[in-house]
Amino acid sequence: MTLNERKPITPQEPEKEEAVHPVLQDYQKGTKVSQPELVQGDLAPSSIFESREFLEAETEEPAEVLEKRSDRRLEPVLKPLATIPQVLRADVPTRRIALRNPENMATVLDPTPDLRRRWERKMVIRQIRKRGRLNKVETIKRTERSLLAKSQMFKTSLKKLGPLARQIAGKTVEEAKIQMRFSKKKAAKEVLDHLEYAESKAVVERRMGLGLEEIEAEIKTKDGKRLVVTDPTRMYIDQAWVGRGQYGSGLDHRARGQINRLRPPKTSISLLLKEEVTRMREHEEREEKHRNRKLWVQLQNRPITAQRQYYSW
């Protein structure tokens, strides 16, 4: 074999390895993809709802376990420091979060303890004088629920929002929502949103409208209308009024380069929600006052006074 007959030697290319996706490979094998471990949340290190007194009251764990639990709350703060070299760690300002001290919190929660003690003494003396009896206002506040909800400022005027407030005053919340839903007024949609917000707030904060009792009573409102009450916890709008807010500012560009300044008004609406128990009580008070009224006579039977034995002219 001569040199000319030799075959040229070509360099062999390395075999290309196919890229394999680990998740896809596990799926093709029929194995389930491992889900990441669920990390339970915890209160923040500066939370006011977790303290040593609270943990000791809720759990019967020893003090060593509680101390470890408090150290566990510092992991988000101390974990980033572990990645810093020891040489540079001294330059990093660190601060260990300590548990709350009631004495330090007293400066805000109880700034004037002398006034608080004098007020408590005054309240105790008042209760002793009244022998634990409550006046009418205190009795109503303890037996009946109510909620005052004020809305944010709407971009409308008093003359436009006032009729809507008078339209829903005295109606139940469901009837008022129906009125605002089919109203042609532009501000009715915002009033409807505020009605839903006030209803939810009354249920959550004041536990109103739960429907725990069913009765059937016929009452007469202060407007003279008669209605049948089947749920004493049903909410209604006792009062609805509007309030003027600060005026906005705007520009109205006119012809020939003239510009007029605009002052768009802003108005809010306030709703006072109560339960049907209140209307039932007011109905009973009006009926009792009507029953106890005195009979009218033309000449009242009273003793004659201011008589003299001499003429006064």
Side-chain angles (χ1 to χ4, degrees), residues 186-277:
K186 182 180 179 181
K189 184 178 182 302
E190 297 178 344
V191 176
L192 177 60
D193 296 340
H194 182 60
L195 270 172
E196 296 175 351
Y197 162 76
E199 183 183 12
S200 303
K201 186 177 180 181
V203 172
V204 175
E205 293 186 1
R206 305 299 172 85
R207 312 298 294 173
M208 299 170 59
L210 299 181
L212 303 178
E213 184 181 359
E214 293 184 2
I215 62 172
E216 185 174 355
E218 183 179 356
I219 64 174
K220 187 177 181 180
T221 62
K222 57 184 178 181
D223 300 335
K225 300 179 181 179
R226 292 190 174 273
L227 56 91
V228 179
V229 178
T230 57
D231 184 10
T233 62
R234 183 177 60 180
M235 289 183 289
Y236 75 98
I237 303 173
D238 184 61
Q239 299 179 30
W241 65 91
V242 295
R244 188 192 304 272
Q246 296 182 354
Y247 286 93
S249 61
L251 300 177
D252 183 18
H253 297 270
R254 308 296 296 179
R256 299 184 180 182
Q258 295 182 358
I259 300 177
N260 300 333
R261 185 176 296 275
L262 302 178
R263 297 177 69 239
K266 296 182 180 180
T267 315
S268 65
I269 183 172
S270 301
L271 303 176
L272 181 60
L273 304 184
K274 293 185 179 181
E275 294 180 336
E276 293 290 350
V277 180

Side-chain angles (χ1 to χ4, degrees), residues 2-180:
T2 59
L3 296 176
N4 296 331
E5 295 179 357
R6 292 181 179 179
K7 295 181 180 181
I9 301 174
T10 57
Q12 297 181 359
E13 297 180 357
E15 297 181 358
K16 295 183 180 180
E17 298 181 358
E18 296 181 359
V20 179
H21 198 281
V23 179
L24 181 60
Q25 188 177 6
D26 294 342
Y27 177 76
Q28 292 176 354
K29 290 180 180 180
T31 58
K32 296 182 179 180
V33 182
S34 59
Q35 297 290 339
E37 184 179 358
L38 180 63
V39 180
Q40 297 291 343
D42 197 359
L43 296 175
S46 60
S47 176
I48 65 174
F49 297 103
E50 184 176 2
S51 61
R52 182 176 297 274
E53 292 80 10
F54 177 79
L55 293 175
E56 291 177 354
E58 294 292 334
T59 60
E60 298 180 356
E61 299 177 356
E64 293 79 5
V65 179
L66 297 178
E67 187 66 27
K68 292 180 181 179
R69 183 178 299 181
S70 62
D71 293 342
R72 181 173 54 85
R73 294 164 53 190
L74 303 177
E75 291 181 0
V77 182
L78 301 178
K79 189 174 181 180
L81 298 178
T83 59
I84 302 176
Q86 189 68 26
V87 180
L88 303 177
R89 194 177 300 179
D91 300 336
V92 179
T94 60
R95 181 175 63 87
R96 185 177 179 82
I97 302 176
L99 296 177
R100 299 188 311 278
N101 188 2
E103 297 180 356
N104 299 337
M105 298 169 58
T107 57
V108 178
L109 301 179
D110 191 12
T112 55
D114 296 337
L115 294 178
R116 176 183 55 80
R117 283 191 289 268
R118 277 189 287 175
W119 180 83
E120 292 177 353
R121 180 175 179 272
K122 180 181 178 181
M123 293 296 106
V124 172
I125 293 174
R126 180 181 298 179
Q127 291 295 331
I128 293 175
R129 287 178 178 175
K130 295 184 178 180
R131 299 179 183 178
R133 294 170 295 187
L134 303 177
N135 55 22
K136 184 178 179 181
V137 178
E138 294 173 348
T139 305
I140 291 175
K141 288 185 177 181
R142 291 195 178 191
T143 56
E144 300 176 4
R145 297 182 177 94
S146 62
L147 176 76
L148 177 61
K150 182 180 179 181
S151 68
Q152 71 275 14
M153 293 297 172
F154 302 146
K155 293 183 179 180
T156 182
S157 62
L158 294 175
K159 293 184 178 181
K160 296 178 182 178
L161 196 61
L164 296 179
R166 290 189 291 269
Q167 182 180 356
I168 63 178
K171 293 182 174 59
T172 61
V173 176
E174 297 298 332
E175 293 178 359
K177 290 165 63 176
I178 293 174
Q179 293 288 332
M180 294 297 101

Side-chain angles (χ1 to χ4, degrees), residues 276-291:
E276 293 290 350
V277 180
T278 304
R279 278 207 283 208
M280 295 171 61
R281 176 186 57 82
E282 294 175 352
H283 169 72
E284 293 295 335
E285 290 178 354
R286 286 192 296 267
E287 292 294 329
E288 184 179 0
K289 183 179 179 181
H290 182 73
R291 290 191 300 265

